[in-house]
Amino acid sequence: MKAQKALRKGFTTGTCAAAGAKAAAHALFGHTLGKRARAERSVFVSLPRGGEIEIPVESVLVEKGFARASVIKDAGDDPDVTNKAEFITEVRITGSAGRIVIKGGEGVGTVTKPGLKIGPGRPAINPVPLKMIRLAVKEEMERFSVSPSVCVTVTVPEGRRLAEKTMNPRLGIVGGISILGTTGIVEPMSLAAFTHSIYCGVDVIVAGGFDEVVFSTGRSSEKAAEKLLKLPPASYVLTGDHMGSALRYASGKKGVDKVTIAGQFGKFTKLAAGNFETHCSDSSVDFPFLARLAVQNGAGEGVIKRILGANTAREVYFILREERLDKVINEAVRLVKENSAGFFGGKIKIRAILAGYDNIIFSSGLDR
C-alpha cells in the first residue's frame, strides 16, 4: 500500500498582514534614511509561540513617506477560501512619537455585533494578528534605529467577494474578511479553524441576548430549521461534522437556555448512535444499529435484510419511508435529542429536527 503523502502547512491571514508590514516598513525606513534598502523578496515573521517563518513577498512599492508590500496567501493543503488571495499592507509615517496604529482597508471586514474578540466598529483584525503586525514593524524600527509614528493599513482587494463564502456575514462582520490566526500557521484540514467559527457563532448569539442556539450539520437542514422555527438569522450555527465540539462549547456558555439540533438522516444516524464527530474518517453509518432500531419498532425480516444490505443512510431512509416505518426515523430523532441532552446534564431544553430527503420534517422536543 502506498504511503500517504504528508499534507503541506500554510500561513494565516494574520501572517500575510505581518509579512507585508515588515517588508513595507523595511523599505520605508531604509528609503527615509537614504539607505536605499532593497525590496525584500521574502521576510522572516516572528510567530506567536516562538520561532519564525519565512514568507515570500510578491512586490514592494516605496514612495516618500509610505511603502506598500504585497503578499500572496498560501494555505498549504488546507481548503481555505483565502488561498492565493493578495494581501497589501501599507506603512505610512504620520509623526515622530513612535506610535503604531493599525487599520483595516478595503476588503477587511468591520465588526458590527458584540460577542467577538474585537468590539463593534473595529476592523476585523484579531488580537494575535494585531500583535504580530505591531511586532513586525517594531523589529524594523530597531533594525534601522528609528521610532516614527506610523499607520499600518491592511487591504485585501478580493476580500469583499471572498467574505461571502465565510461565516462573516452571519457573525455581523461586514465588508470583507477577517484577519485571523493564533499560531501564524495553517494546519491542513484544520479542525481548529472550523471550531473557531462555531464558537464565534455561539458567542455572537449570547452577546446578542438570544437564548436559543440552532446547530445544523449542513445548509439543507439549516434551511428547513429556519423555515420551521422563524428565529433571528443570528441564531443559526453550522457545525458540519463537529456537533460534539459545538455542544460542548454551548454547554459552558451562560445564557444558552435552548438548543436545537438539525440534520439529515445520514448525520442523525451517527448522532443517534452516540457518535458526535460525524466525518467519515471519525465514524461511519452503523447499519446494524439501524437494523436494531427497525427490529425494536416492528420491522420484518425482509426489511432488516434490506437495511443491512444498503449502501448509504439515504437508502435506508427511503426503505423506511416506503415500508411506512416512520417510527424508526422518529426513534432516531428522539435518540439524537436524548444524547445531545447529555452534554448539558438536563439543565436546558433540547430539540432535534430531522430534515427528510423528501422534505418531510421529523421533530422531537420542545414544541412551538
Side-chain angles (χ1 to χ4, degrees), residues 147-164:
S147 57
S149 289
V150 297
C151 178
V152 181
T153 304
V154 182
T155 300
V156 186
E158 290 292 306
R160 189 178 293 270
R161 180 183 64 82
L162 292 173
E164 295 173 4

Side-chain angles (χ1 to χ4, degrees), residues 193-246:
F194 199 98
T195 54
H196 174 75
S197 69
I198 294 172
Y199 301 162
C200 286
V202 175
D203 289 346
V204 167
I205 290 168
V206 172
F210 305 113
D211 65 353
E212 181 165 2
V213 180
V214 182
F215 290 130
S216 58
T217 60
R219 191 66 187 112
S220 295
S221 55
E222 185 178 66
K223 284 181 178 178
E226 287 172 347
K227 189 174 181 181
L228 181 69
L229 302 179
K230 305 289 193 299
L231 291 171
S235 299
Y236 299 87
V237 178
L238 282 168
T239 68
D241 293 307
H242 307 296
M243 186 64 75
S245 296

Side-chain angles (χ1 to χ4, degrees), residues 80-140:
D80 189 328
V81 298
T82 61
N83 190 38
K84 305 302 182 188
E86 182 183 26
F87 288 71
I88 300 172
T89 308
E90 178 186 280
V91 179
R92 183 178 292 269
I93 294 175
T94 58
S96 58
R99 293 184 64 236
I100 301 173
V101 175
I102 302 171
K103 296 182 178 181
E106 177 63 30
V108 174
T110 299
V111 177
T112 66
K113 294 180 180 179
L116 299 176
K117 292 179 181 178
I118 302 296
R122 301 288 300 164
I125 306 176
N126 270 17
V128 172
L130 284 172
K131 289 179 182 177
M132 292 176 69
I133 294 167
R134 189 167 280 110
L135 177 59
V137 175
K138 283 183 176 178
E139 286 173 345
E140 292 304 313

Side-chain angles (χ1 to χ4, degrees), residues 44-317:
F44 285 89
V45 174
S46 297
L47 295 172
R49 296 180 181 177
E52 56 186 14
I53 181 173
E54 185 175 11
I55 304 296
V57 176
E58 186 74 5
S59 65
V60 178
L61 169 70
V62 60
E63 299 284 352
K64 185 177 181 180
F66 74 92
R68 294 191 192 106
S70 168
V71 172
I72 304 300
K73 167 74 179 291
D74 181 357
D77 288 325
D78 193 65
D80 189 328
V81 298
T82 61
N83 190 38
K84 305 302 182 188
E86 182 183 26
F87 288 71
I88 300 172
T89 308
E90 178 186 280
V91 179
R92 183 178 292 269
I93 294 175
T94 58
S96 58
R99 293 184 64 236
I100 301 173
V101 175
I102 302 171
K103 296 182 178 181
E106 177 63 30
V108 174
T110 299
V111 177
T112 66
K113 294 180 180 179
L116 299 176
K117 292 179 181 178
I118 302 296
R122 301 288 300 164
I125 306 176
N126 270 17
V128 172
L130 284 172
K131 289 179 182 177
M132 292 176 69
I133 294 167
R134 189 167 280 110
L135 177 59
V137 175
K138 283 183 176 178
E139 286 173 345
E140 292 304 313
M141 286 183 176
E142 290 172 5
R143 176 184 291 191
F144 288 95
S145 299
V146 297
S147 57
S149 289
V150 297
C151 178
V152 181
T153 304
V154 182
T155 300
V156 186
E158 290 292 306
R160 189 178 293 270
R161 180 183 64 82
L162 292 173
E164 295 173 4
K165 302 176 183 179
T166 73
M167 293 285 287
N168 276 12
R170 183 171 304 189
L171 295 174
I173 299 172
V174 301
I177 65 167
S178 299
I179 307 300
L180 301 171
T182 55
T183 66
I185 303 296
V186 173
E187 298 287 346
M189 304 297 289
S190 172
L191 169 62
F194 199 98
T195 54
H196 174 75
S197 69
I198 294 172
Y199 301 162
C200 286
V202 175
D203 289 346
V204 167
I205 290 168
V206 172
F210 305 113
D211 65 353
E212 181 165 2
V213 180
V214 182
F215 290 130
S216 58
T217 60
R219 191 66 187 112
S220 295
S221 55
E222 185 178 66
K223 284 181 178 178
E226 287 172 347
K227 189 174 181 181
L228 181 69
L229 302 179
K230 305 289 193 299
L231 291 171
S235 299
Y236 299 87
V237 178
L238 282 168
T239 68
D241 293 307
H242 307 296
M243 186 64 75
S245 296
L247 292 171
R248 275 188 289 274
Y249 187 75
S251 70
K253 294 294 289 186
K254 290 183 179 179
V256 177
D257 296 325
K258 291 178 279 187
V259 171
T260 293
I261 297 94
Q264 293 190 298
F265 190 67
K267 299 296 187 190
F268 262 38
T269 62
K270 298 180 181 184
L271 300 177
N275 299 316
F276 278 81
E277 302 304 321
T278 58
H279 191 271
C280 59
S281 64
D282 297 315
S283 63
S284 57
V285 175
D286 189 341
F287 293 103
F289 168 75
L290 292 175
R292 289 195 297 274
L293 281 189
V295 168
Q296 292 165 10
N297 287 276
E301 187 177 339
V303 174
I304 300 306
K305 284 183 178 178
R306 291 179 69 191
I307 291 172
L308 291 173
N311 289 318
T312 64
R314 182 186 181 95
E315 184 179 349
V316 174
Y317 175 85

